[in-house]
Amino acid sequence: MFVQELAPLGALGLSALVAVVPLAVVLVLLGVVRTKAHHAALIGLVVALVVGIAVYGMPVGQAISGALQGAAFGLFPILWIVVNALWIYRVTVHTGHFDVLRRSFGRISDDPRLQALIIAFCFGALMEALAGFGAPVAISAVMLVAVGFGPGKAAVVALVANTAPVAFGAMGTPVVTLAQVTGLPLEQVSSIVGRQTPLLALFVPLLLVIIVDGKRGLRETWVPALVCGVAFGVVQFLASNFVSPQLADIGAALAGAAALVALPMTRRAVPAEVREQVLTGSHTATLDRPDERGEVVRAYLPYALIIVIFSLAQVPPIKKLLDTATWKFHWPGLDVHGPDGKAVSGNTFSLPFLNTGGTLVLIAGLLTLVALKVAAGTAGREWLATVKELRFAIVTVTGVLALAYVMNLSGQTTTIGTFIAAAGAGLAFLSPVLGWFGVAVSGSDTSANALFGALQVTAAHQTGLRADLLAAANSSGGVLGKMISPQNLTIACVAANLPGEEGKLLRKVLPWSVGLLLVMCLIVFGQSTPVLSWMLP
């Protein structure tokens, strides 16, 4: 049995300084040395193991076993979701149905400011819901360039739009991870995040029309932008609180798009000079090609199947049946107890073979193959190509989660959380900043939750604040760091054909990121006081 020690070096401050070294190494390697993310994650993992074993006295076998558990969680369910979701996207590209989908969006409205909302905010949110991990930015930027946006503007719009849906992206993976590493119930975490991020949805569409067309864009399209944001936010709140976190972004994205389509002014023609001033690039010629109705239906089919399958999976009898295929067991080699002597939740591991996002997406993908008449050999090659494309992301995610598990199980996270709890009530204002910083560095709300989720809970217990509030704030603040993460900046530059212009993009999106972060900090601080505490469940 290994019992965690709060201050292994005697003084809490000195112990916290040493405990933070693995994180500091990762941050410096990424932000200063500019090491590749997967290299930084693996080096950080080695440092965490050294600190856990040499300083905290964690047995070597248990430290390695904890790292393997974190890596296993990274592979399943997290990467299992991402691989299968991106596989479906690759299949639709191969069959040409993704181009059909892109042309369909272009015909909804000829107003480029509303096209930005449809493509980057609504469809980008749907892609975030299904895949996450950079896919929405890449796909949205490519589509915006195709309809005539200049590369720079397309990249900025895609990055800023990729905020409100991030906490529930990749079939709810960030909040699922947050619940896993903190030991809090998923429904509880999802409920509070769903009372924070929907408020961002009110601002982001308005910011997008300002980015696209300045004051004129806001003056002429604020009504559809606000309607889109309200519809998105309301459905995200309802789904995350009363239905399922896995369906929150899917429902919100569809609601936002439906609200736009339903508005008569969406189909109103815009003056030619507006289009000429906004669309400074050249649109893809294939956008003018007509499509048969059947082809359009088949283009939307994969996403409709995912929605239906995930909805059915929430029906109580079906959910109960799927849960029977879940294997929960004591992780081999782990016997960790907290400073209070109680066994930690990390000693056990759960494998939900059927009732997990990745398996449900895979089922939708198999049905898509039948509907689109894709040969099994082609589908297999596309799946392997997806894994190859994600090989470095796979190493990064598993490395970061292995590092997080070692820090949590050895007691390093508890030490840091206890130390920063000295911020007292002010911690509620600062907690979103920690998540923002984590995502800005790692490029993933999932990774930031794995790194800092348990720390936020520990700090909350020390200050008397609600643990679920600070844990949720980590994820909600983290979504605003996505647009400035080196990973996402690089993806946007590649997609929009802006080689080497990451620094220029960063300068354009940083003010929006910081401004929205300040709003989130005020929301969380208000929720920790009687002023906004009525918002919490």
Side-chain angles (χ1 to χ4, degrees), residues 335-360:
D335 187 13
V336 180
H337 293 244
D340 58 0
K342 296 180 181 179
V344 300
S345 59
N347 290 324
T348 59
F349 193 73
S350 181
L351 284 173
F353 293 107
L354 293 180
N355 197 14
T356 185
T359 302
L360 298 178

Side-chain angles (χ1 to χ4, degrees), residues 73-458:
F73 182 69
L75 291 172
F76 191 97
I78 294 177
L79 289 165
W80 180 236
I81 298 171
V82 178
V83 169
N84 288 326
L86 286 179
W87 169 60
I88 291 179
Y89 161 69
R90 287 183 64 96
V91 167
T92 60
V93 170
H94 177 81
T95 61
H97 287 91
F98 185 74
D99 286 335
V100 176
L101 188 69
R102 187 171 60 180
R103 288 192 288 269
S104 174
F105 289 155
R107 296 188 188 104
I108 294 174
S109 173
D110 70 345
D111 189 330
R113 298 162 298 192
L114 300 187
Q115 287 180 351
L117 295 181
I118 294 167
I119 294 172
F121 187 70
C122 297
F123 185 67
L126 184 60
M127 290 307 301
E128 181 67 40
L130 303 180
F133 294 91
V137 171
I139 296 169
S140 296
V142 168
M143 293 178 73
L144 289 171
V145 170
V147 299
F149 280 81
K153 186 169 288 185
V156 172
V157 169
L159 286 166
V160 175
N162 189 220
T163 50
V166 169
F168 297 101
M171 297 302 176
T173 299
V175 291
V176 170
T177 303
L178 184 63
Q180 178 82 9
V181 300
T182 60
L184 296 171
L186 174 60
E187 297 76 14
Q188 190 175 338
V189 173
S190 171
S191 176
I192 297 182
V193 174
R195 295 162 192 253
Q196 295 170 344
T197 57
L199 297 175
L200 295 176
L202 304 179
F203 296 96
V204 173
L206 297 171
L207 292 182
L208 292 178
V209 296
I210 292 174
I211 292 170
V212 171
D213 194 30
K215 294 180 180 178
R216 179 180 62 184
L218 182 62
R219 184 176 64 251
E220 296 180 358
T221 61
W222 70 269
V223 172
L226 187 60
V227 168
C228 177
V230 169
F232 184 102
V234 168
V235 173
Q236 190 184 59
F237 160 72
L238 292 174
S240 61
N241 276 266
F242 307 111
V243 184
S244 165
Q246 287 88 349
L247 292 174
D249 279 349
I250 294 177
L254 294 176
L260 275 177
V261 173
L263 282 176
M265 65 184 304
T266 300
R267 294 177 293 279
R268 187 175 60 194
V270 296
E273 60 267 20
V274 172
R275 290 182 57 81
E276 291 173 0
Q277 292 169 11
V278 174
L279 302 179
T280 56
S282 56
H283 73 79
T284 303
T286 56
L287 286 175
D288 298 327
R289 195 178 77 189
D291 296 299
E292 296 179 3
R293 180 173 296 180
E295 289 299 297
V296 175
V297 171
R298 281 188 283 274
Y300 283 92
L301 184 62
Y303 309 103
L305 285 172
I306 289 174
I307 294 167
V308 170
I309 290 171
F310 270 81
S311 299
L312 289 175
Q314 301 307 314
V315 176
I318 299 177
K319 182 178 175 63
K320 186 176 180 180
L321 179 63
L322 294 174
D323 283 337
T324 59
T326 298
W327 181 27
K328 191 172 184 179
F329 60 95
H330 187 281
W331 187 263
L334 280 185
D335 187 13
V336 180
H337 293 244
D340 58 0
K342 296 180 181 179
V344 300
S345 59
N347 290 324
T348 59
F349 193 73
S350 181
L351 284 173
F353 293 107
L354 293 180
N355 197 14
T356 185
T359 302
L360 298 178
V361 170
L362 177 62
I363 294 171
L366 295 174
L367 294 175
T368 298
L369 298 180
V370 176
L372 301 185
K373 299 178 180 178
V374 179
T378 300
R381 285 191 295 272
E382 290 296 336
W383 196 89
L384 292 175
T386 303
V387 173
K388 182 179 179 181
E389 181 183 340
L390 291 172
R391 62 191 183 280
F392 296 124
I394 290 171
V395 176
T396 301
V397 172
T398 54
V400 168
L401 281 161
L403 179 152
Y405 269 58
V406 170
M407 291 189 65
N408 292 344
L409 291 169
S410 66
Q412 296 173 61
T413 301
T414 303
T415 298
I416 299 170
T418 303
F419 180 73
I420 67 171
L427 184 61
F429 182 85
L430 296 175
S431 57
V433 179
L434 193 59
W436 174 83
F437 188 64
V439 176
V441 171
S442 68
S444 165
D445 199 34
T446 298
S447 296
N449 287 343
L451 288 172
F452 300 130
L455 185 151
Q456 297 268 21
V457 169
T458 301

Side-chain angles (χ1 to χ4, degrees), residues 433-518:
V433 179
L434 193 59
W436 174 83
F437 188 64
V439 176
V441 171
S442 68
S444 165
D445 199 34
T446 298
S447 296
N449 287 343
L451 288 172
F452 300 130
L455 185 151
Q456 297 268 21
V457 169
T458 301
H461 289 319
Q462 296 295 324
T463 57
L465 293 169
R466 286 185 57 165
D468 51 4
L469 173 61
L470 296 198
N474 192 82
S475 193
S476 299
V479 306
L480 302 170
K482 195 76 178 285
M483 70 178 82
I484 63 169
S485 70
Q487 172 183 309
N488 257 24
L489 291 169
T490 301
I491 289 171
C493 285
V494 171
N497 195 23
L498 295 169
E501 295 194 22
E502 287 87 351
K504 185 177 180 181
L505 268 185
L506 176 61
R507 290 191 292 274
K508 288 183 178 180
V509 300
L510 182 60
W512 302 116
S513 178
V514 173
L516 289 172
L517 175 64
L518 178 60

